[in-house]
Amino acid sequence: MKLQPYLHFDGDCREAFAFYREVLGGDLATMLTYRDGPAGLAGPEWAEKILHATLLIGGQELLGSDAMPGSYQPPAGFDVTIAEVGVEEGKRIFAALGEGGTATMPMQETFWTAGFGMLTDRFGIRWMINCDGSAP
């Protein structure tokens, strides 16, 4: 079994996945447009929007697409968690993902780890960064 977060965007999936690749590394394995999909799936104004994207990061996959026209709903009720990173790398990722977004819990030491933070990025995706290393 494999769990794969699938993120939906309001027309900016291409930009978001390019940004995530820049911040998190990995390879963009898939970037299909609505034009590449079945005819009639969306109108011509949506042809270059993303039907399906896959970002491979190590053995993990982050998936996403632009929601069909008129069907986008802001994400709610979940966070994408990045774990098992060192504190310095966690701080770097937190700062990069936070550009243009909103920190909901600044990166800080907690009772369970030397670094933890929560944010919503500029694309509306909620993230938690949970670093390696116990709190002193």
Side-chain angles (χ1 to χ4, degrees):
M1 179 185 297
K2 183 165 39 170
L3 298 176
Q4 300 171 305
Y6 202 107
L7 308 176
H8 295 272
F9 297 88
D10 192 19
D12 52 8
C13 181
R14 182 186 309 275
E15 180 185 352
F17 268 63
F19 176 65
Y20 299 153
R21 181 179 178 273
E22 179 183 318
V23 172
L24 304 173
D27 295 306
L28 279 171
T30 311
M31 190 65 73
L32 295 173
T33 64
Y34 277 88
R35 181 186 314 281
D36 301 323
L41 198 56
E45 70 283 354
W46 215 245
E48 296 307 314
K49 299 299 181 183
I50 302 305
L51 175 62
H52 179 75
T54 305
L55 178 60
L56 301 175
I57 306 168
Q60 310 296 314
E61 295 178 352
L62 183 63
L63 309 175
S65 69
D66 288 313
M68 296 286 289
S71 67
Y72 175 77
Q73 294 181 14
F78 72 93
D79 296 311
V80 179
T81 302
I82 297 173
E84 299 183 17
V85 295
V87 174
E88 292 308 310
E89 179 68 351
K91 288 179 180 178
R92 182 197 68 77
I93 291 170
F94 185 86
L97 288 176
E99 289 178 19
T102 305
T104 52
M105 180 177 175
M107 179 63 76
Q108 59 191 287
E109 183 179 304
T110 67
F111 67 90
W112 72 87
T113 187
F116 178 81
M118 299 170 62
L119 62 94
T120 301
D121 72 20
R122 68 181 185 235
F123 303 103
I125 304 300
R126 295 171 25 170
W127 297 86
M128 293 192 303
I129 314 301
N130 194 29
C131 301
D132 282 343
S134 57

